[in-house]
Amino acid sequence: MTDTAAHPLQPAIRRATLDDLPEVVRLFSLPDEGNTKREDPGPPLPACYAEALERIADDPHNALLVADLEGRIVGAFHLTIIQYVAYMGGRVAMIENVIVEPELRSRGVGEVMMRWAIDEARRRGCFRVQLTTNKVRKRAHQFYERLGFTKSHEGMKLSL
């Protein structure tokens, strides 16, 4: 048996394109611990996904990013830069919808994605990076804590 942790993968992180959407939506639709998304990966892929990506691409403070491993999409996440008036006009980077192909978890893909996001937050002058993660995703919590994230706030949501 090969020790996959000894051979971390090094995907390239880049903005998602329309061609990436079927694979990104497939990843978001996978059954996963705490996944409450109800995505429709098609085929055909519903137009709402391309419309959303176009709106994201038009906003310089938003990005849907993918982890591309030799032409294969193996992960994705959404990065939003929030401009505050508080914190002396500071900026915060918000990471959402982090997903890694299940059979490639614990191979370094998530770490490459998060380190890229942290570096991008620094580049954009952010004073903090924050994320939310479902309370039932214990392995994800351990992963984020290993990267230096702390459980500092209690999140709340209101479904509309």
Side-chain angles (χ1 to χ4, degrees), residues 1 9 13 36 54 72 78 85 115 120 128 147 153-154 158:
M1 178 177 270
L9 301 174
I13 306 302
T36 59
E54 286 176 27
R72 179 181 174 207
H78 191 116
V85 169
R115 295 216 183 274
E120 180 67 6
R128 180 174 69 219
L147 293 176
H153 290 70
E154 183 74 18
L158 174 65

Side-chain angles (χ1 to χ4, degrees), residues 21-33 35-43 45-46 49 76 97-102 105:
L21 276 182
E23 202 51 26
V24 170
V25 175
R26 182 193 68 78
L27 285 171
F28 286 153
S29 71
L30 294 174
D32 194 20
E33 181 185 43
N35 183 3
T36 59
K37 297 178 196 77
R38 300 291 178 254
E39 305 303 342
D40 180 0
L45 190 65
Y49 296 110
N97 291 318
V98 178
I99 188 72
V100 172
E101 185 72 60
R105 291 179 185 162

Side-chain angles (χ1 to χ4, degrees), residues 2-82:
T2 304
D3 179 9
T4 58
H7 304 289
L9 301 174
Q10 293 294 319
I13 306 302
R14 62 172 176 77
R15 282 183 172 267
T17 66
L18 287 173
D19 289 340
D20 299 325
L21 276 182
E23 202 51 26
V24 170
V25 175
R26 182 193 68 78
L27 285 171
F28 286 153
S29 71
L30 294 174
D32 194 20
E33 181 185 43
N35 183 3
T36 59
K37 297 178 196 77
R38 300 291 178 254
E39 305 303 342
D40 180 0
L45 190 65
C48 60
Y49 296 110
E51 292 164 3
L53 183 60
E54 286 176 27
R55 285 191 297 275
I56 291 165
D58 285 344
D59 181 345
H61 305 295
N62 270 302
L64 176 62
L65 296 135
V66 294
D68 182 326
L69 186 64
E70 299 174 359
R72 179 181 174 207
I73 304 305
V74 296
F77 66 98
H78 191 116
L79 180 66
T80 301
I81 306 300
I82 304 167

